[in-house]
Amino acid sequence: MKEKTNYGNWVPEKALYLLFGLAGVFLVVTVLLGVMVQMPVITVIAGVVCALTFAMAVYMLVCHEAFAFGKGNMMAGVHKHLVEHLDWDGEGKMLDIGCGAAALTVRCAKAFPKAQITAMDYWGAEWSYAKEQCERNVRLESVAVRVSFQKGDAAKLDFADETFDAAVSNFVFHEVRSTKDKRNVVREALRVVKKRGVFSFQDMFSQKALYGDMDAFVEVLKAEGISEIHYIGDLEKKLDFIPGFVTTPWMISGMGILYGKK
């Protein structure tokens, strides 16, 4: 049987199993309360909790299918949008920050066939991704010869200043837990880009709790030496391939892109 790539999903399958499992537990509890204990109020409460848990499980399943490669393909669309905003000739070295299962890494490798790509990730236990999974995916996609992987922290990249000609990152910066100020993760990513090198980052940039006033931050970055930088916020409201049902505060909300030239 032919091997297939596995890029995972922004809604992990283990989360779906947990939600449907909880709904099943609450259903059993509701039935037992109704039959054995005969306590109407508590039975109704348990039933409501069961229904809400099941509804959330179904919602997350629908989102999972919308995101999935080869199905709804929303993740692929988001990656395509990021690469389209990277103004690069593909000559030189690229860094993918927080590569996950290497889906964006592979897209970049195919979009820039002359590039040498380094992809890094923390690959923590809470994520359904691993370095071995990345290596398998790039091998199956026939780009392994130009891609290398290493474990690291996006808040403290293990590279010298101005190492890369291009840098990309997708929905990673807000997840970095080793620094409170997520703007410093952006600065760290820019640190390793060469002067006149290019970058394209997508994250929850429009969430003020994470990044504050992004227009003001863009001006600060310009003052700090970034020669060309652009910001587009609230992308979930502007990109036609993102369905409305995923634009909730607990799913995709405040998505933005920061791109330009150092």
Side-chain angles (χ1 to χ4, degrees):
M1 185 175 179
K2 186 178 179 181
E3 286 187 273
K4 294 183 179 181
T5 55
N6 175 15
Y7 292 118
N9 196 289
W10 293 339
V11 178
E13 290 185 1
K14 60 184 179 183
L16 296 177
Y17 297 147
L18 177 61
L19 284 169
F20 279 108
L22 284 174
V25 169
F26 285 125
L27 177 60
V28 171
V29 170
T30 301
V31 172
L32 290 176
L33 286 172
V35 174
M36 299 177 62
V37 182
Q38 295 184 347
M39 300 177 67
V41 175
I42 297 178
T43 301
V44 169
I45 293 174
V48 170
V49 172
C50 175
L52 291 174
T53 305
F54 181 72
M56 178 56 74
V58 171
Y59 169 75
M60 295 296 280
L61 176 60
V62 172
C63 289
H64 179 279
E65 296 300 289
F67 293 157
F69 293 96
K71 293 183 179 179
N73 275 324
M74 202 194 93
M75 291 171 66
V78 169
H79 291 163
K80 180 175 182 288
H81 183 262
L82 182 151
V83 173
E84 287 175 344
H85 286 78
L86 189 71
D87 185 14
W88 190 39
D89 61 9
E91 299 279 352
K93 298 188 295 183
M94 168 185 278
L95 177 65
D96 181 5
I97 303 169
C99 64
L104 176 59
T105 310
V106 168
R107 178 174 285 275
C108 289
K110 291 184 175 182
F112 306 107
K114 295 181 180 180
Q116 291 292 324
I117 302 176
T118 300
M120 58 77 58
D121 200 285
Y122 185 73
W123 292 302
E126 66 270 31
W127 302 108
S128 301
Y129 306 128
K131 182 180 179 183
E132 294 75 18
Q133 180 184 0
C134 294
E135 292 171 340
R136 178 176 174 274
N137 285 335
V138 296
R139 174 175 57 81
L140 292 174
E141 296 279 12
S142 301
V143 296
V145 69
R146 295 187 292 110
V147 180
S148 62
F149 297 96
Q150 68 181 67
K151 186 178 178 68
D153 181 354
K156 193 176 182 180
L157 296 170
D158 190 23
F159 306 105
D161 294 356
E162 301 188 12
T163 298
F164 297 95
D165 301 282
V168 296
S169 187
N170 190 68
F171 284 5
V172 172
F173 295 163
H174 72 283
E175 297 283 3
V176 177
R177 299 172 185 175
S178 53
T179 184
K180 185 176 181 180
D181 190 341
K182 307 310 176 187
R183 292 172 297 183
N184 288 335
V185 186
V186 178
R187 287 189 172 96
E188 178 66 357
L190 293 172
R191 177 185 68 79
V192 301
V193 178
K194 292 179 181 178
K195 196 64 179 173
R196 307 305 297 171
V198 295
F199 57 91
S200 183
F201 307 138
Q202 286 182 156
D203 199 47
M204 306 304 192
F205 290 128
S206 295
Q207 291 190 13
K208 289 192 174 182
L210 291 170
Y211 292 98
D213 185 332
M214 277 299 294
D215 292 324
F217 183 44
V218 166
E219 294 304 314
V220 169
L221 291 174
K222 288 179 180 178
E224 291 176 353
I226 306 302
S227 65
E228 179 185 331
I229 186 166
H230 308 278
Y231 166 64
I232 306 173
D234 296 317
L235 287 176
E236 72 277 9
K237 301 175 183 177
K238 300 171 182 176
L239 300 177
D240 57 11
F241 61 82
I242 297 182
F245 62 81
V246 306
T247 61
T248 58
W250 56 87
M251 193 58 66
I252 302 294
S253 177
M255 176 184 172
I257 186 169
L258 197 64
Y259 65 99
K261 182 181 293 185
K262 189 175 177 183

